[in-house]
């Protein structure tokens, strides 16, 4: 979805990114809880996995990858009464991780300013 957004929308997203850093072994996102942010990794490695840890459900995310694209879908269908999506994965750092975070509330505001960019994606 991000690849097809125009520069004005991407600039607004970039302007709302907040630098964050995480130390090893602390859960950042917990499966079953509301997904409150997207993470764009700039350094380090994140491990994502599910509670039942079925084969193929563990994934490592490193520099240049991101987590939380469900929030883009949520923003595209947002209504004033829609709840945040529930995370289907645990996310924790395997190493020290530096990233940029985009909070769900900020994404909601961006989507309301540029509804055409989030519609039908």
């Amino acid at each position: 979805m991000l690849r097809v957004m125009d520069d004005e929308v991407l600039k607004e997203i970039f302007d709302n990114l907040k630098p964050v850093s995480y130390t090893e072994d602390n859960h950042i996102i917990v499966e079953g809880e509301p997904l409150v942010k997207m993470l764009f990794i700039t350094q380090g490695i994140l491990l994502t996995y599910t509670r039942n840890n079925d084969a193929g459900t563990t994934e490592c995310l490193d520099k240049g990858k991101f987590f939380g694209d469900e929030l883009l879908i949520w923003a595209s269908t947002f209504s004033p009464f829609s709840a945040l999506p529930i995370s289907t994965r645990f996310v924790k750092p395997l190493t020290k991780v530096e990233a940029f975070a985009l909070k769900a509330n900020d994404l909601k505001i961006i989507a309301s300013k540029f509804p055409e960019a989030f519609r039908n994606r």
Side-chain angles (χ1 to χ4, degrees):
M1 186 182 275
L2 292 172
R3 288 185 184 138
V4 298
M5 288 188 176
D6 67 31
D7 290 345
E8 186 178 13
V9 179
L10 291 175
K11 182 183 180 326
E12 189 76 20
I13 289 172
F14 294 149
D15 288 348
N16 282 276
L17 293 175
K18 306 288 188 278
V20 292
S21 72
Y22 301 100
T23 58
E24 295 176 41
D25 294 328
N26 294 317
H27 281 98
I28 300 168
I29 295 171
V30 176
E31 180 182 16
E33 293 187 4
L35 186 59
V36 296
K37 61 188 162 198
M38 290 182 70
L39 293 172
F40 299 87
I41 302 141
T42 59
Q43 184 176 345
I45 301 171
L46 289 178
L47 176 69
T48 74
Y49 61 96
T50 63
R51 183 170 290 131
N52 57 12
N53 213 12
D54 292 332
T57 61
T58 300
E59 182 180 6
C60 289
L61 303 175
D62 57 5
K63 182 178 181 176
K65 305 267 175 71
F66 68 94
F67 180 84
D69 56 336
E70 300 94 332
L71 283 180
L72 293 171
I73 297 164
W74 169 77
S76 70
T77 59
F78 176 77
S79 72
F81 302 106
S82 65
L84 286 168
I86 300 300
S87 177
T88 59
R89 303 186 69 75
F90 289 100
V91 177
K92 73 176 192 175
L94 287 179
T95 64
K96 181 180 181 211
V97 170
E98 293 184 11
F100 287 102
L102 178 62
K103 293 182 181 178
N105 192 49
D106 293 335
L107 185 58
K108 175 179 66 171
I109 292 167
I110 294 166
S112 69
K113 288 169 87 171
F114 302 98
E116 67 288 346
F118 288 83
R119 232 178 265 131
N120 301 319
R121 303 279 181 191

